[in-house]
Short mmCIF file of all heavy atoms in Angstrom, two decimals:
data_model
loop_
_atom_site.label_atom_id
_atom_site.label_comp_id
_atom_site.label_asym_id
_atom_site.label_seq_id
_atom_site.Cartn_x
_atom_site.Cartn_y
_atom_site.Cartn_z
N CYS A 1 50.96 -39.07 44.02
CA CYS A 1 50.06 -39.00 42.89
C CYS A 1 48.63 -38.96 43.49
O CYS A 1 48.16 -39.99 43.98
CB CYS A 1 50.23 -40.19 42.01
SG CYS A 1 48.98 -40.31 40.66
N ALA A 2 48.04 -37.79 43.46
CA ALA A 2 46.72 -37.63 44.02
C ALA A 2 45.68 -37.80 42.90
O ALA A 2 45.74 -37.11 41.85
CB ALA A 2 46.57 -36.24 44.62
N ALA A 3 44.75 -38.70 43.12
CA ALA A 3 43.72 -39.01 42.10
C ALA A 3 42.37 -38.45 42.56
O ALA A 3 42.04 -38.42 43.74
CB ALA A 3 43.58 -40.55 41.95
N SER A 4 41.64 -38.00 41.55
CA SER A 4 40.28 -37.50 41.81
C SER A 4 39.41 -37.87 40.63
O SER A 4 39.90 -38.27 39.59
CB SER A 4 40.26 -35.99 42.07
OG SER A 4 40.77 -35.32 40.90
N GLY A 5 38.08 -37.69 40.81
CA GLY A 5 37.17 -38.04 39.75
C GLY A 5 36.65 -39.47 39.93
O GLY A 5 36.44 -39.92 41.03
N ARG A 6 36.53 -40.18 38.85
CA ARG A 6 35.91 -41.51 38.87
C ARG A 6 36.95 -42.61 39.18
O ARG A 6 37.18 -43.50 38.44
CB ARG A 6 35.24 -41.80 37.52
CG ARG A 6 34.13 -40.82 37.18
CD ARG A 6 33.44 -41.16 35.88
NE ARG A 6 32.73 -42.45 35.95
CZ ARG A 6 32.07 -43.01 34.96
NH1 ARG A 6 31.99 -42.35 33.81
NH2 ARG A 6 31.45 -44.15 35.09
N THR A 7 37.48 -42.49 40.39
CA THR A 7 38.49 -43.48 40.81
C THR A 7 37.89 -44.86 41.07
O THR A 7 38.63 -45.85 41.18
CB THR A 7 39.23 -43.02 42.09
OG1 THR A 7 38.24 -42.80 43.10
CG2 THR A 7 39.94 -41.70 41.83
N GLY A 8 36.57 -44.95 41.13
CA GLY A 8 35.97 -46.22 41.35
C GLY A 8 36.16 -47.20 40.18
O GLY A 8 36.05 -48.39 40.31
N SER A 9 36.52 -46.68 39.03
CA SER A 9 36.77 -47.46 37.83
C SER A 9 38.26 -47.72 37.61
O SER A 9 38.65 -48.18 36.57
CB SER A 9 36.17 -46.82 36.61
OG SER A 9 36.75 -45.56 36.38
N THR A 10 39.08 -47.40 38.60
CA THR A 10 40.51 -47.59 38.50
C THR A 10 40.93 -48.93 39.06
O THR A 10 40.51 -49.31 40.14
CB THR A 10 41.26 -46.48 39.28
OG1 THR A 10 40.94 -45.20 38.68
CG2 THR A 10 42.77 -46.67 39.24
N TYR A 11 41.74 -49.66 38.29
CA TYR A 11 42.20 -50.96 38.72
C TYR A 11 43.70 -51.00 39.09
O TYR A 11 44.14 -51.82 39.89
CB TYR A 11 41.94 -52.02 37.64
CG TYR A 11 40.47 -52.28 37.50
CD1 TYR A 11 39.74 -51.78 36.47
CD2 TYR A 11 39.81 -53.08 38.46
CE1 TYR A 11 38.41 -52.04 36.33
CE2 TYR A 11 38.46 -53.37 38.34
CZ TYR A 11 37.76 -52.83 37.26
OH TYR A 11 36.40 -53.10 37.14
N ALA A 12 44.48 -50.03 38.53
CA ALA A 12 45.89 -49.99 38.86
C ALA A 12 46.37 -48.58 38.59
O ALA A 12 45.85 -47.86 37.74
CB ALA A 12 46.68 -50.95 38.02
N VAL A 13 47.38 -48.20 39.40
CA VAL A 13 48.04 -46.91 39.20
C VAL A 13 49.53 -47.21 39.05
O VAL A 13 50.11 -47.96 39.85
CB VAL A 13 47.83 -45.95 40.35
CG1 VAL A 13 48.70 -44.68 40.21
CG2 VAL A 13 46.34 -45.58 40.42
N GLY A 14 50.11 -46.63 38.01
CA GLY A 14 51.50 -46.88 37.76
C GLY A 14 52.34 -45.64 37.74
O GLY A 14 51.81 -44.49 37.58
N TRP A 15 53.64 -45.79 37.84
CA TRP A 15 54.61 -44.72 37.67
C TRP A 15 55.53 -45.02 36.46
O TRP A 15 55.96 -46.18 36.32
CB TRP A 15 55.49 -44.57 38.90
CG TRP A 15 54.81 -43.91 40.08
CD1 TRP A 15 54.20 -44.52 41.12
CD2 TRP A 15 54.70 -42.53 40.32
NE1 TRP A 15 53.71 -43.63 42.01
CE2 TRP A 15 53.97 -42.40 41.55
CE3 TRP A 15 55.05 -41.36 39.61
CZ2 TRP A 15 53.69 -41.13 42.07
CZ3 TRP A 15 54.78 -40.13 40.17
CH2 TRP A 15 54.08 -39.99 41.36
N PHE A 16 55.67 -44.05 35.65
CA PHE A 16 56.56 -44.16 34.51
C PHE A 16 57.52 -42.98 34.58
O PHE A 16 57.31 -41.98 35.31
CB PHE A 16 55.76 -44.08 33.20
CG PHE A 16 54.96 -45.29 32.94
CD1 PHE A 16 53.75 -45.51 33.64
CD2 PHE A 16 55.34 -46.22 31.95
CE1 PHE A 16 53.01 -46.66 33.38
CE2 PHE A 16 54.60 -47.36 31.71
CZ PHE A 16 53.43 -47.57 32.43
N ARG A 17 58.62 -43.04 33.83
CA ARG A 17 59.58 -41.92 33.82
C ARG A 17 60.14 -41.74 32.41
O ARG A 17 60.24 -42.71 31.66
CB ARG A 17 60.71 -42.13 34.81
CG ARG A 17 61.64 -43.32 34.56
CD ARG A 17 62.58 -43.50 35.69
NE ARG A 17 63.50 -44.60 35.47
CZ ARG A 17 64.39 -45.02 36.39
NH1 ARG A 17 64.45 -44.43 37.58
NH2 ARG A 17 65.22 -46.03 36.10
N GLN A 18 60.49 -40.52 32.15
CA GLN A 18 61.00 -40.18 30.79
C GLN A 18 62.16 -39.20 30.96
O GLN A 18 62.01 -38.07 31.41
CB GLN A 18 59.89 -39.59 29.95
CG GLN A 18 60.30 -39.38 28.52
CD GLN A 18 59.12 -39.06 27.62
OE1 GLN A 18 58.06 -38.67 28.07
NE2 GLN A 18 59.28 -39.29 26.30
N ALA A 19 63.34 -39.66 30.51
CA ALA A 19 64.51 -38.80 30.45
C ALA A 19 64.60 -38.18 29.07
O ALA A 19 64.05 -38.71 28.12
CB ALA A 19 65.76 -39.62 30.75
N PRO A 20 65.28 -37.05 28.92
CA PRO A 20 65.35 -36.38 27.60
C PRO A 20 65.89 -37.32 26.56
O PRO A 20 66.90 -37.98 26.74
CB PRO A 20 66.33 -35.25 27.88
CG PRO A 20 66.18 -34.92 29.32
CD PRO A 20 65.94 -36.28 30.01
N GLY A 21 65.19 -37.39 25.45
CA GLY A 21 65.59 -38.21 24.32
C GLY A 21 65.26 -39.66 24.46
O GLY A 21 65.54 -40.46 23.58
N ASN A 22 64.60 -40.04 25.58
CA ASN A 22 64.24 -41.44 25.79
C ASN A 22 62.74 -41.65 25.74
O ASN A 22 61.96 -40.74 25.80
CB ASN A 22 64.76 -41.89 27.15
CG ASN A 22 66.27 -42.04 27.24
OD1 ASN A 22 66.96 -41.79 26.23
ND2 ASN A 22 66.78 -42.41 28.40
N GLU A 23 62.42 -42.94 25.63
CA GLU A 23 61.00 -43.33 25.75
C GLU A 23 60.49 -43.15 27.18
O GLU A 23 61.29 -43.08 28.13
CB GLU A 23 60.83 -44.79 25.31
CG GLU A 23 61.23 -45.12 23.89
CD GLU A 23 60.13 -44.66 22.94
OE1 GLU A 23 58.98 -44.74 23.29
OE2 GLU A 23 60.53 -44.20 21.82
N ARG A 24 59.21 -43.15 27.34
CA ARG A 24 58.61 -43.14 28.68
C ARG A 24 58.57 -44.58 29.19
O ARG A 24 57.90 -45.42 28.63
CB ARG A 24 57.21 -42.54 28.62
CG ARG A 24 56.63 -42.25 30.02
CD ARG A 24 55.34 -41.50 29.93
NE ARG A 24 55.51 -40.17 29.35
CZ ARG A 24 54.56 -39.26 29.29
NH1 ARG A 24 53.34 -39.50 29.82
NH2 ARG A 24 54.75 -38.10 28.73
N ASP A 25 59.34 -44.86 30.22
CA ASP A 25 59.59 -46.23 30.69
C ASP A 25 58.80 -46.51 31.93
O ASP A 25 58.64 -45.68 32.82
CB ASP A 25 61.08 -46.46 30.97
CG ASP A 25 61.91 -46.43 29.70
OD1 ASP A 25 61.41 -46.77 28.62
OD2 ASP A 25 63.10 -46.00 29.81
N PHE A 26 58.42 -47.76 32.06
CA PHE A 26 57.73 -48.23 33.26
C PHE A 26 58.66 -48.26 34.48
O PHE A 26 59.85 -48.63 34.37
CB PHE A 26 57.22 -49.65 32.99
CG PHE A 26 56.72 -50.35 34.25
CD1 PHE A 26 55.47 -50.06 34.76
CD2 PHE A 26 57.48 -51.35 34.83
CE1 PHE A 26 55.00 -50.68 35.86
CE2 PHE A 26 56.98 -52.02 35.96
CZ PHE A 26 55.76 -51.67 36.49
N VAL A 27 58.11 -47.87 35.63
CA VAL A 27 58.86 -47.88 36.89
C VAL A 27 58.24 -48.84 37.89
O VAL A 27 58.90 -49.78 38.40
CB VAL A 27 58.93 -46.46 37.49
CG1 VAL A 27 59.63 -46.52 38.87
CG2 VAL A 27 59.65 -45.53 36.56
N ALA A 28 56.95 -48.66 38.17
CA ALA A 28 56.28 -49.51 39.16
C ALA A 28 54.76 -49.32 39.00
O ALA A 28 54.30 -48.35 38.43
CB ALA A 28 56.69 -49.09 40.57
N THR A 29 54.03 -50.33 39.51
CA THR A 29 52.58 -50.25 39.45
C THR A 29 52.03 -50.94 40.69
O THR A 29 52.63 -51.80 41.30
CB THR A 29 52.04 -50.90 38.16
OG1 THR A 29 50.65 -50.63 38.05
CG2 THR A 29 52.24 -52.42 38.19
N ILE A 30 50.82 -50.56 41.05
CA ILE A 30 50.16 -51.11 42.20
C ILE A 30 48.66 -51.23 41.93
O ILE A 30 48.07 -50.33 41.26
CB ILE A 30 50.39 -50.23 43.47
CG1 ILE A 30 49.93 -50.95 44.75
CG2 ILE A 30 49.78 -48.85 43.37
CD1 ILE A 30 50.41 -50.30 46.03
N ARG A 31 48.10 -52.28 42.38
CA ARG A 31 46.63 -52.45 42.23
C ARG A 31 45.96 -51.44 43.13
O ARG A 31 46.41 -51.15 44.21
CB ARG A 31 46.24 -53.88 42.60
CG ARG A 31 46.71 -54.91 41.63
CD ARG A 31 45.96 -56.21 41.81
NE ARG A 31 46.50 -57.26 40.96
CZ ARG A 31 46.13 -57.43 39.70
NH1 ARG A 31 45.31 -56.60 39.13
NH2 ARG A 31 46.62 -58.45 38.99
N TRP A 32 44.81 -50.93 42.63
CA TRP A 32 44.12 -49.86 43.40
C TRP A 32 43.37 -50.40 44.58
O TRP A 32 43.40 -49.78 45.64
CB TRP A 32 43.15 -49.11 42.43
CG TRP A 32 42.48 -47.94 43.02
CD1 TRP A 32 41.17 -47.80 43.31
CD2 TRP A 32 43.07 -46.73 43.41
NE1 TRP A 32 40.92 -46.60 43.87
CE2 TRP A 32 42.09 -45.89 43.94
CE3 TRP A 32 44.42 -46.24 43.42
CZ2 TRP A 32 42.32 -44.62 44.40
CZ3 TRP A 32 44.65 -44.95 43.90
CH2 TRP A 32 43.64 -44.16 44.41
#
């Protein structure tokens, strides 16, 4: 996941996933 722009205001980056017919679910997160 490549970030650009105002990353100085980012506190965490997370990964979510969504299978067909499902909600977008949390996978993992990391502090920036």
Side-chain angles (χ1 to χ4, degrees):
C1 173
S4 60
R6 299 183 64 181
T7 58
S9 61
T10 298
Y11 291 103
V13 173
W15 285 96
F16 289 75
R17 64 187 181 186
Q18 188 168 18
N22 288 0
E23 297 284 323
R24 191 172 296 188
D25 294 328
F26 169 76
V27 176
T29 190
I30 190 167
R31 292 196 184 275
W32 185 248

